[in-house]
Amino acid sequence: MRHGRIPTFAFVALAVLAWAVGCGDGATEPLPQPPPPDPPRATTVTVSPATSQLTALGATVQLTARVLDQNGQAIAGAAVTWASSDAAVATVDGAGLVTAAGNGSATITASAGAASGTAVVTVMQAAGSVVVEPAEATLSAPGDTVRLAATALDANGNEVADAQFSWESSDAAVATVDDAGLVTAVGNGSATITASAGSASGTAEVTVAVPSTSPDRRTLEALYETTGGADWANNTNWLSSAPVADWHGVEVDAAGRVTGLTLANNNLAGWIPSEVGDFDRLRYLHLDRNQLSGPIPPELGLYDPMPSKVVRQ
């Protein structure tokens, strides 16, 4: 009987052992975990605005950089460094502020890690104002000239190199001006001379004040008195208030100075006064076929080895 129960006990023991082995301490095997995501890294940098134009030295433009990671997401507070391809044209500070330094173009680069983006800045000065010198000028005779000079300045007061100017006179009957700023007096009055560069302009005031009386009038009066002017065949306008250029036989230059006298066959009688030597611009003196007597005044310079006057008596 004892021998027959041993197998039953063994079976029970084996079953208990099998249950213990199968159940262990109640722990389960962990499931595999996915790898951690890559940390954000800069892959794209976009600079705004992509192009800028500055028209004055010292003018500025603020650039901004947007940095995206490998997933196309913006990286807030990403560290960005800035650089200019040509600091002689434009400089840039650590915050992306660009300052114009000289005419030309420069590429501004913003870098974040291995990624970068660029913008192009062009500096092209434009005239903001024009200064004309001298600002005032007075001319005393038709034909007199004065050279005006114009300077163009940008919005910050820097000179615009190689600026091109156009010139204009407000009254061509008073003064004219050529393309180089040379002003020529025409007649009495005032004229405003304007120099323009683009939309900017500057002016100068030119006054033409021709003396109403020729400095040679008194010498002409002396000639008239000593040669019996009241009895001349033609003494139109002599001793009148008319300009001496309108006196019969008188030729003058642009300054109103006597350059020639043509009084031949005009019934002059008497002598040639020494005052005619004061005609320092006289080129010819035609007094032939008249009733003049006495020597030709030496003041006329006829004994100069190279006489400048032609005299007929």
Side-chain angles (χ1 to χ4, degrees):
M1 288 290 293
R2 189 179 301 174
H3 176 77
R5 294 177 62 184
I6 294 174
T8 300
F9 174 79
F11 175 79
V12 173
L14 289 173
V16 171
L17 179 62
W19 176 83
V21 171
C23 294
D25 59 359
T28 59
E29 196 69 27
L31 297 174
Q33 297 296 317
D38 291 340
R41 64 181 184 277
T43 58
T44 305
V45 178
T46 303
V47 181
S48 299
T51 60
S52 301
Q53 182 165 316
L54 302 176
T55 57
L57 302 186
T60 62
V61 60
Q62 180 67 59
L63 303 184
T64 59
R66 187 167 184 259
V67 182
L68 303 181
D69 65 15
Q70 67 272 27
N71 298 315
Q73 300 298 312
I75 302 176
V80 176
T81 59
W82 295 87
S84 170
S85 66
D86 191 346
V89 173
T91 60
V92 60
D93 67 11
L97 181 67
V98 177
T99 303
N103 290 310
S105 292
T107 299
I108 307 300
T109 303
S111 300
S116 64
T118 61
V120 176
V121 175
T122 301
V123 180
M124 183 178 295
Q125 285 177 282
S129 61
V130 174
V131 177
V132 180
E133 296 177 315
E136 297 179 350
T138 299
L139 302 176
S140 59
D144 284 357
T145 62
V146 61
R147 173 78 65 182
L148 301 181
T151 302
L153 304 176
D154 66 21
N156 289 332
N158 302 293
E159 183 175 352
V160 179
D162 302 322
Q164 301 297 311
F165 299 97
S166 60
W167 294 87
E168 183 180 6
S169 171
S170 66
D171 192 343
V174 173
T176 60
V177 60
D178 68 12
D179 293 338
L182 182 67
V183 177
T184 301
V186 177
N188 282 325
S190 294
T192 300
I193 307 300
T194 302
S196 300
S199 60
S201 63
T203 62
E205 296 297 322
V206 174
T207 300
V208 180
V210 180
S212 59
T213 302
S214 169
D216 293 328
R217 179 185 175 99
R218 297 191 63 179
T219 302
L220 291 172
E221 292 173 347
L223 176 66
Y224 182 89
E225 296 297 339
T226 58
T227 58
D231 298 321
W232 289 357
N234 188 342
N235 59 8
T236 301
N237 288 330
W238 278 75
L239 305 189
S240 73
S241 60
V244 297
D246 296 335
W247 294 11
H248 170 69
V250 178
E251 180 181 335
V252 301
D253 61 15
R257 302 299 305 278
V258 174
T259 58
L261 285 172
T262 302
L263 297 172
N265 194 27
N266 199 39
N267 199 36
L268 275 69
W271 65 94
I272 302 174
S274 61
E275 286 90 341
V276 295
D278 295 334
F279 290 139
D280 54 10
R281 299 190 187 183
L282 189 68
R283 298 197 309 271
Y284 61 87
L285 178 61
H286 294 173
L287 299 177
D288 49 309
R289 289 172 290 156
N290 285 299
Q291 289 77 49
L292 296 172
S293 60
I296 296 175
E299 289 82 1
L300 282 172
L302 292 181
Y303 301 104
D304 191 315
M306 298 182 65
S308 58
K309 304 177 180 68
V310 175
V311 179
R312 294 178 183 171
Q313 180 179 4

